[in-house]
Amino acid sequence: MSEPAERGRFGEFGGRFVPESLIPACQEVEAAFRDAWADDRFRAELDELLTVYAGRPTPVTPARRLSAELGLTLLLKREDLAHTGSHKINNVLGQALLARRMGKRRLLAETGAGQHGVAAATAAALLGLECVVFMGERDIERQAPNVRRMRMLGATVVPVGSGSRTLKDATNEAMRRWVADTAEAYYCIGSVMGPHPYPWMVREFQRVIGEEARGQVDRVPDVVVACVGGGSNAAGTFAGFADTGARLVGVEAAGGAAMTGGSPGVLHGHRSMVLQDAHGQIAEASSVAAGLDYPGIGPEHAHLGATGRATYATAGDDEVIEAVHRLARTEGIIPALESAHALAWIVRNASDLAGLTVLMTLSGRGDKDMEMFQ
């Protein structure tokens, strides 16, 4: 999991499939990121913010009671304890610093579960930038607490009523706005998707998860598990263990399983595995978790799956909700519905994992989902 090949490719996946009008903007972002990532002062400023503002490092917590019930050793990488309540802040602080370095005045962001929108609004407030967040109308309804947080932080939330009114459509609208506003706006993508350099850049900003976790465990875990929508928390986690013997497992929503149920295609500026019909029309995804309600997956995940370095599985809505309750009642931790997909897979496969050490990235806290359980 290093720099992609020429033209931003991970094997046959990735690339830059955008309108000609956006090519210069993508090239500008790539040049700025390469320059910043090679600048010790930029890296030091980001590291300081991750420490004194975002609260890193986040701990690895042994889930002792649940481990005893399942017959394995379950370790939780606690991204839910980072500022704003999820891993999203790691990436957004990096991109917001980059936007300011490039002289941009505003951040454009898409969001599904709302955590990326909250993180973008937070970083914008911290650095004195404007922030516009595009969010599907359906997600606005089911993630109302995060909408209120974004607005309190000063962001403008733009409802998107087209299509399925979820993350896919919010991303469409954010990219359209970027086309019209490249001079002053920076598109702050929330996952390892989009045109090059975004999948690579977001993974690098999220790499801190895996690198921290690797230094926090006594030995390399047998299995490393994370939920996957676009897949940024999983990519960041896997980056810390890709060169080890750990088995890497990404868990998708059963209704949005692009890796396990899709085929190669182009979506939102990159080539990856996507849900589509026989004519190449993108199909709608569905999930109880707004953050996994996406018909594609990041191109590096598609490559990891194609080469066999990582495996991908699914979890259904009912078992995910049960996993939320189980972790809450055994460990006093309420996970986000997204993270609970990874936990549901572990619970379902506990007999096969017996005696093994399993590291799971708990990518976000469940406060935002409480209305789903009422």
Side-chain angles (χ1 to χ4, degrees), residues 26-368:
C26 291
Q27 292 173 331
E28 181 188 20
V29 172
E30 180 183 0
F33 174 66
R34 289 184 181 279
D35 182 68
W37 212 227
D39 186 340
D40 290 341
R41 291 172 299 179
F42 178 88
R43 300 282 287 259
E45 184 175 11
L46 176 57
D47 288 346
E48 181 182 23
L49 285 179
L50 289 173
T51 301
V52 304
Y53 187 72
R56 305 207 70 87
T58 59
V60 168
T61 301
R64 293 190 174 91
R65 290 188 62 213
L66 186 53
S67 293
E69 288 185 6
L70 298 178
L72 50 84
T73 299
L74 176 60
L75 305 175
L76 305 175
K77 178 57 174 166
R78 299 290 305 280
E79 293 304 290
D80 60 312
L81 296 180
H83 181 46
T84 73
S86 83
H87 69 292
K88 296 293 187 180
I89 194 68
N90 307 323
N91 166 51
V92 167
L93 284 175
Q95 289 201 61
L97 287 174
L98 184 64
R100 188 183 67 179
R101 183 184 177 101
M102 295 170 66
K104 305 299 183 182
R105 294 183 53 246
R106 70 180 62 86
L107 300 181
L108 305 178
E110 81 297 324
T111 196
Q115 289 298 106
H116 176 59
V118 169
T122 298
L126 176 69
L127 299 181
L129 302 170
E130 297 175 21
C131 184
V132 181
V133 180
F134 296 84
M135 191 171 188
E137 290 177 344
R138 183 164 176 252
D139 291 338
I140 286 176
E141 293 169 2
R142 57 181 175 169
Q143 298 293 320
N146 275 342
V147 176
R148 291 193 289 270
R149 292 170 73 192
M150 285 182 261
R151 288 172 173 157
M152 179 174 287
L153 289 160
T156 299
V157 179
V158 179
V160 177
S162 58
S164 60
R165 302 182 299 138
T166 57
L167 179 58
K168 170 179 69 69
D169 311 290
T171 304
N172 290 340
E173 291 302 317
M175 294 190 78
R176 290 190 186 104
R177 178 67 66 88
W178 190 30
V179 170
D181 197 17
T182 56
E184 295 193 341
Y186 175 93
Y187 184 18
C188 183
I189 292 181
S191 196
V192 284
M193 62 187 196
H196 178 62
Y198 283 99
W200 166 47
M201 177 172 64
V202 175
R203 181 250 285 162
E204 288 300 281
F205 286 140
Q206 292 291 6
R207 180 183 286 271
V208 65
I209 301 172
E211 291 183 343
E212 274 184 10
R214 186 165 173 178
Q216 291 169 318
V217 295
D218 294 333
R219 63 180 183 83
V220 174
D222 299 295
V223 187
V224 176
V225 188
C227 67
V228 176
S232 64
N233 90 92
T237 304
F238 292 174
F241 296 93
D243 63 347
T244 73
R247 178 185 175 193
L248 308 179
V249 180
V251 186
E252 302 178 282
M259 190 65 198
T260 52
S263 56
V266 173
L267 176 65
H268 295 142
H270 65 275
R271 186 173 192 270
S272 188
M273 299 295 288
V274 300
L275 296 177
Q276 57 189 330
D277 64 21
H279 305 288
Q281 297 300 306
I282 301 301
E284 290 189 8
S286 64
S287 173
V288 69
L292 303 189
D293 197 354
Y294 185 67
I297 191 170
E300 189 166 23
H301 283 295
H303 179 61
L304 289 171
T307 59
R309 181 59 192 94
T311 58
Y312 295 83
T314 65
D317 290 350
D318 290 344
E319 62 179 332
V320 165
I321 292 173
E322 175 57 31
V324 171
H325 287 290
R326 190 159 186 180
L327 189 64
R329 292 168 183 173
T330 56
E331 302 296 336
I333 299 170
I334 302 174
L337 283 167
E338 290 76 19
S339 306
H341 283 70
L343 183 60
W345 180 86
I346 293 168
V347 171
R348 187 186 344 125
N349 291 278
S351 60
D352 295 331
L353 301 171
L356 301 183
T357 297
V358 181
L359 173 72
M360 183 194 110
T361 298
L362 205 166
S363 60
R365 65 177 184 239
D367 304 31
K368 67 183 181 59

